Amino acid sequence: MLVASCGPTITQPTIGPDGKPLPRVYRIPAGSDAKIEYSMLDSVNALREAAGAPALQLDAKLNAAAATHARDMSVQNRPWHFGSDGSSPIDRVQRVGYAGRLVGENISETYETELETLAAWMEEPATRNVILEPSARDMGFAWYQESNGKIWWTMVTGAPGLSSTPGGVEVASNDF
């Protein structure tokens, strides 16, 4: 037996009492890694072009450093720039063999898409500086999504051919 109804459909409100959109879980589809990485790269480069900064290119070693840290933040259940082993962003970039200088690292704990996260990073001076720093030429970008939908995003920027030194490194986060 089939039962159907033509009654009104009840939808959940999309705007909260503060007038802002209610959060919704963004599920990253399987097999979309390259699409998300290049979407972020294209968006970052559009912002950099508007600011007069040179374009970035994806760097596999920086991607690896970002991926390691995104997963580690999930394990620690906190967004911060130090690894569970005490590593700093500089340590992680050196461990993957990046032959350059770490320019900066942005991190985020959120349920939002990569572009919503980028927009939030652009709203804060410290995270915006990591994205727009003119000396950067390389970018690593990765994430880890938990089964509950929470996403841990990490972006790392670097300047090739310069040794990594602690001076001048910008680390910034937006914790949503």
Side-chain angles (χ1 to χ4, degrees), residues 3 5 11 29 32 60-61 73 95 111 124 138-139 151 155-156 168 170:
V3 178
S5 171
T11 59
S32 61
K61 291 178 179 179
M73 285 189 297
R95 280 183 193 162
Y111 293 88
E124 297 296 324
D138 297 326
M139 181 179 92
I151 307 169
M155 172 191 283
V156 181
E170 178 97 37

Side-chain angles (χ1 to χ4, degrees), residues 5-172:
S5 171
C6 293
T9 302
I10 299 173
T11 59
Q12 296 296 323
T14 57
I15 303 296
D18 60 357
K20 295 183 178 181
L22 291 173
R24 61 184 184 1
V25 174
Y26 168 61
R27 294 279 179 193
I28 298 174
S32 61
D33 292 6
K35 179 181 176 189
I36 291 172
E37 286 176 352
Y38 283 100
S39 172
M40 179 62 91
L41 179 66
D42 290 345
S43 298
V44 165
N45 281 336
L47 293 166
R48 288 176 64 84
E49 181 179 1
L56 299 179
Q57 63 182 1
L58 283 175
D59 182 273
K61 291 178 179 179
L62 292 181
N63 280 348
T68 298
H69 193 56
R71 182 176 279 278
D72 191 49
M73 285 189 297
S74 172
V75 169
Q76 296 182 72
N77 196 33
R78 63 178 171 178
W80 75 322
H81 294 283
F82 293 95
S84 57
D85 62 356
S87 63
S88 71
I90 292 171
D91 296 331
R92 290 188 294 276
V93 166
Q94 289 175 340
R95 280 183 193 162
V96 297
Y98 179 70
R101 176 180 58 87
L102 173 70
V103 173
E105 176 181 82
N106 284 344
I107 59 173
S108 182
E109 167 194 20
T110 184
Y111 293 88
E112 298 178 327
T113 70
E114 67 279 2
L115 297 182
E116 290 169 323
T117 301
L118 176 59
W121 283 338
M122 289 299 291
E123 291 178 9
E124 297 296 324
T127 50
R128 183 174 49 247
N129 289 344
V130 170
I131 295 163
L132 300 179
E133 170 54 47
S135 68
R137 297 294 186 279
D138 297 326
M139 181 179 92
F141 179 69
W143 61 91
Y144 178 74
Q145 186 165 32
E146 296 178 354
S147 60
N148 66 7
K150 183 188 292 185
I151 307 169
W152 301 85
W153 299 103
T154 304
M155 172 191 283
V156 181
T157 57
L162 304 170
S163 64
S164 292
T165 59
V169 174
E170 178 97 37
V171 290

